[in-house]
């Protein structure tokens, strides 16, 4: 089992992203219900105290913006909004890069321009991952412009 801290986009943003993806490209698509932004990978154990310290951290307005890839194989949607401070507070190191993984097996197929509706995550979620199953373990509230 592995642990990570995640932010989940709201259903309307998931629907917007899902609508622009061409499922005929022959990629190994990730499931929309699992789409998330990983703030930090924790490995086999999670630092619960550090996770709970995220409570009340301010989070910016976010948007998914366009696509990119890792190693020419992993397709991701980019993040418009600075999550660096929140990711560092969660325990991310200097190699962390904000993204949302949408597919594996990417080989340079053309992707559309994309910009989602804006949103502010109201919570961070500590997630356990085992055999491809993601299970929320704990949640903490984040400070948004509507939740001060």
């Amino acid at each position: 089992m592995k642990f990570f801290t995640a932010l989940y986009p709201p259903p309307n943003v998931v629907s917007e992203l899902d609508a622009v993806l061409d499922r005929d490209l022959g990629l190994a698509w990730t499931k929309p219900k699992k789409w998330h932004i990983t703030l930090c990978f924790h490995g086999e154990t999670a630092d619960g105290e550090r996770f709970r310290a995220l409570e009340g951290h301010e989070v910016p307005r976010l948007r998914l913006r366009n696509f990119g890839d890792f190693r020419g194989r992993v397709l991701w949607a980019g993040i418009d909004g600075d999550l660096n401070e929140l990711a560092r507070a969660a325990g991310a190191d200097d190699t962390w890069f904000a993204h949302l993984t949408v597919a594996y097996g990417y080989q340079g197929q053309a992707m559309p321009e994309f910009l989602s509706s804006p949103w502010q995550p109201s919570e961070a979620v500590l997630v356990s991952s085992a055999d491809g199953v993601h299970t929320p373990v704990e949640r903490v509230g984040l400070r948004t412009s509507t939740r001060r």
Side-chain angles (χ1 to χ4, degrees), residues 64-136:
L64 300 180
R65 180 185 294 274
N66 295 326
F67 298 92
D69 66 274
F70 291 126
R71 299 174 304 279
R73 306 285 302 151
V74 179
L75 178 68
W76 47 258
I79 309 301
D80 187 23
D82 186 1
L83 288 171
N84 286 323
E85 184 178 326
L86 187 62
R88 296 301 181 264
D93 63 22
D94 291 338
T95 64
W96 178 83
F97 175 76
H99 69 282
L100 185 151
T101 301
V102 293
Y104 297 94
Y106 178 71
Q107 297 177 357
Q109 296 92 329
M111 299 302 296
E113 293 282 318
F114 177 66
L115 183 63
S116 76
S117 297
W119 89 94
Q120 279 186 291
S122 60
E123 66 180 9
V125 183
L126 181 62
V127 180
S128 71
S129 177
D131 300 321
V133 176
H134 293 176
T135 305

